[in-house]
Amino acid sequence: MKSRTQSKRVSKTIITAVLVLLCVAWTIPTVGILVTSFRTKDAVSQTGWWKAFRTEGEFTLDNYEQVLGGQRYTVGNSTGTKTIRGASMASAFFSSLTVTLPAVFIPIFIAAAAAYGFAWLNFKGRKTLFAMIIALLVVPLQISLIPILRDYNKIGLNGTYLGIWLAHTGFGLPLATYLMFNYISTLPRSILESAFIDGASHFTTFFRLIIPLSVPALASFAIFQFIWVWNDLLVALVFLSGAGQTMEVVTVRLMNMAGTRGTDWHLLTAGAFVSMLLPLGVFLGLQRYFVRGLLAGSVKG
């Protein structure tokens, strides 16, 4: 009995030690980026971040000031030199919010309605159509960018918010439909039957019963989609490239701040922490639903 208890303690200690090591290995690079975001450009290029605390005067808030207020550029001509400001992160934040919020809510609504139909409505070809939607999960979005871009150029959607909303909606719908179906299909059938007996239509049942009961699954997908769209660079570059600087999202603005040669990557580290504040807030605000949403449909009965 004692040997069994001791073996359990040893196993628990080993697991704890491994988890601690993994957490430390994951945290060290983040700490390095955080320290670098407060260092001067010269200090970053000369020594590693782990040596930052040995030298006085290396830390500054100038990186964050340039990220939030606009990157400083020095230009010269025959009359002298002057310093000008580049675009600030304020407009990029507004553009990212304009892209992200509709790109989260539109697929959630469509996927919830589709999942309700697949789970509770009987129609011909239901299983085949659902299998086709799930099969889209394995299709890389990169192979569809050029065909979609060509169609957008023909109909005038390239460089517009509507175009990128539709693109993110299409890319996110397969996963959203799968998650919502797994959750909605596990809801007690007696609830829906009682609603139908009382004279409720499918429209009323969907909005007054299914949506409120599916909040964990909705919140779980909202976290995934928000973080994915907010941190997206490729789709924004492809579909908003012709819109100019006024519609640059946060990721594109940070890429431009880093410079074509990557010489200003100390600004990129500061911008990374600024840009992560909103996704972190969204995750912390919805985390109580996260695990419940991920486990949707895993247990029945």
Side-chain angles (χ1 to χ4, degrees), residues 103-134:
V104 171
F105 289 113
I106 294 175
I108 282 180
F109 175 78
I110 297 176
Y116 174 77
F118 286 125
W120 300 109
L121 300 181
N122 292 319
F123 56 91
K124 187 176 181 180
R126 181 183 64 171
K127 294 183 179 180
T128 302
L129 184 58
F130 182 72
M132 292 174 60
I133 293 176
I134 299 306

Side-chain angles (χ1 to χ4, degrees), residues 221-233:
F221 175 74
I223 292 174
F224 281 120
Q225 184 73 351
F226 188 95
I227 294 176
W228 154 247
V229 177
W230 183 270
N231 292 331
D232 168 70
L233 175 63

Side-chain angles (χ1 to χ4, degrees), residues 183 290-299:
Y183 193 90
F290 187 64
V291 176
R292 291 169 58 189
L294 288 179
L295 296 178
S298 60
V299 179

Side-chain angles (χ1 to χ4, degrees), residues 61-82:
L61 295 176
D62 184 68
N63 296 339
Y64 286 92
E65 192 270 336
Q66 290 195 63
V67 167
L68 297 175
Q71 189 175 5
R72 291 191 296 267
Y73 297 94
T74 302
V75 296
N77 50 37
S78 58
T79 60
T81 61
K82 64 178 181 178

